[in-house]
Structures are given as structure tokens and as C-alpha cells.
Amino acid sequence: MPAPVPASGPPPVRTAFVSGPRLAGWAGRFGASHGGFRLQDDDDGLRLLAADGTAALLQAPWPADGRPGRGSGPLERLAALASQPRRLGLLLVRRGGYGIGVAAEGMLLASKAGTRYVQSRTAAGGQSQQRFARRRSNQADALVSAVAQQAAGIFQTAAFEYLVPGGDRALADLVLQDPALREYASLPRLAYLDVAEPRTAVLKKAAADACSVRITVADAPG
């Protein structure tokens, strides 16, 4: 009997972040690698549809908000929009630590990273599990409060117009609900960043990524 043919899944997808000044070069290399492309501008972003079936979705780091990028075509306008020096507040938090910063043009203007520890979940039962759950909850509360206080101090050093949360979504949301960040919680929020434990190097990369075009590439169906 012939071997069964494995079911085909969706094509592999990968994500990259490219700054506005580098976008034209990235698009040129993409076209050269995939037989050229055509542009499709829609509500999700700017799509590069390559001749070999590969597709790339390009999304601006922030909305135009009345300040569209200038250029002769959609790719040039997107690059110009992403090159604008808008300021962002970064709030990255995970169980092991946090990274806070204010960024513009991919660089940190002010920042702080630190470590805090929240224990992982346990499969133990009974009273032991209840004590563990209370301890873990107390640690999480302490982390949220500490990060909120640190963020308030950093955010006061430089004005910004957007918030960029990242790391653990639930923890980041809790931090932004803290009274210490009341004046910042209502700011527009940009795309969430999926980051590792937010040490200083991770925070620097997050600043660059948050100010760059997010590119999602889907390979041609196999």
C-alpha cells in the first residue's frame, strides 16, 4: 500500500521588524528572492504578493492620526510614516522581571529594567496548594505594585503619546490598572510585543521593534 500523504497545514509564518529607512531595501530583497511582487493595500496593512505565492503583510507601528507619511506610492508612504519621531511608552512585564522605557525613533530616551519573582503554578493539592496559591498571589500583587511605581517614575521623565505593552498580557493589564498609572492607562495602545524576560537587552530591542514596520511573511503553500 502507498504511504499515506500527510495532511497539509497552513504555510509557515514568520515575523520581522524593519525600520522605516530600511523598508525599501527589505522590499527589494523580498522581490528579488520571490520573483517580484504586486502591492495590495487593505484595512489590515500593505500586502506584498509575490509571484511564487509568498505573501508579506506590512503594518505601520502606529496609526496615521492625521500625520500620514509622504511618498509617491504606498510603500514609500508607509516607510515615511514609520520614520516619524513619535514617542512610545514601553511596559514589558513577566513573572521574572520587568522593563520600562520611553522610546522614539527606535531608541530609549529613558528606561529601567529589574527582576522580581513570582512562583510557577504547582500541581500539589490540599492545604499545601492553598498556601502556595496565596503566596503566589501575594508575589504577583507585589510585582504589579512595584512595576507600576517604577513605570510612573520613568514615564514622568518624557512625554509620549502611545503605550506598548508586552510580555505577560495578564500581568501587563494589571499593572496598567494600578492607580499609579491612572493618567497613562487611557493612552492609545499599540500592538502587543511578545518578548522574553525583559532584561535590558530585550528592552532595547523592544524599543526598536515598536518603532518599526511589523512584517508577517507567509511562505507559498507547499
Side-chain angles (χ1 to χ4, degrees):
M1 295 180 62
V5 178
S8 60
V13 174
R14 55 191 182 277
T15 302
F17 293 89
V18 177
S19 66
R22 294 174 49 231
L23 189 61
W26 183 93
R29 291 188 295 275
F30 176 84
S33 298
H34 299 285
F37 62 82
R38 62 183 177 86
L39 295 173
Q40 177 181 300
D41 204 353
D42 58 36
D43 292 340
D44 290 333
L46 181 62
R47 297 183 189 275
L48 277 56
L49 304 176
D52 67 357
T54 305
L57 174 63
L58 281 55
Q59 295 172 299
W62 39 67
D65 284 346
R67 294 164 284 174
R70 298 177 180 275
S72 58
L75 193 61
E76 292 80 8
R77 291 192 289 271
L78 175 58
L81 175 61
S83 299
Q84 294 174 357
R86 303 195 189 184
R87 288 189 178 184
L88 321 174
L90 298 165
L91 178 67
L92 315 176
V93 57
R94 284 195 176 277
R95 288 187 297 109
Y98 60 89
I100 303 155
V102 178
E105 298 180 274
M107 303 293 293
L108 288 168
L109 307 178
S111 65
K112 183 174 181 60
T115 57
R116 299 282 295 202
Y117 179 64
V118 178
Q119 289 177 287
S120 300
R121 298 183 183 277
T122 179
Q127 292 183 344
S128 176
Q129 182 173 359
Q130 293 174 9
R131 287 194 301 271
F132 178 88
R134 286 194 297 270
R135 185 165 63 249
R136 187 176 190 275
S137 177
N138 290 338
Q139 290 172 344
D141 290 345
L143 170 65
V144 166
S145 178
V147 174
Q149 293 296 328
Q150 295 287 357
I154 293 296
F155 289 170
Q156 289 171 4
T157 64
F160 57 91
E161 56 183 312
Y162 303 104
L163 267 172
V164 182
D168 184 307
R169 291 176 184 266
L171 281 176
D173 286 345
L174 287 174
V175 172
L176 289 170
Q177 292 169 19
D178 191 280
L181 297 180
R182 183 178 294 111
E183 65 179 291
Y184 303 103
S186 61
L187 290 176
R189 298 185 191 182
L190 300 182
Y192 169 88
L193 288 176
D194 185 10
V195 299
E197 291 292 350
R199 305 295 189 253
T200 300
V202 172
L203 182 58
K204 288 180 178 179
K205 184 178 186 303
D209 290 348
C211 296
S212 297
V213 176
R214 182 187 295 251
I215 302 177
T216 306
V217 178
D219 291 336

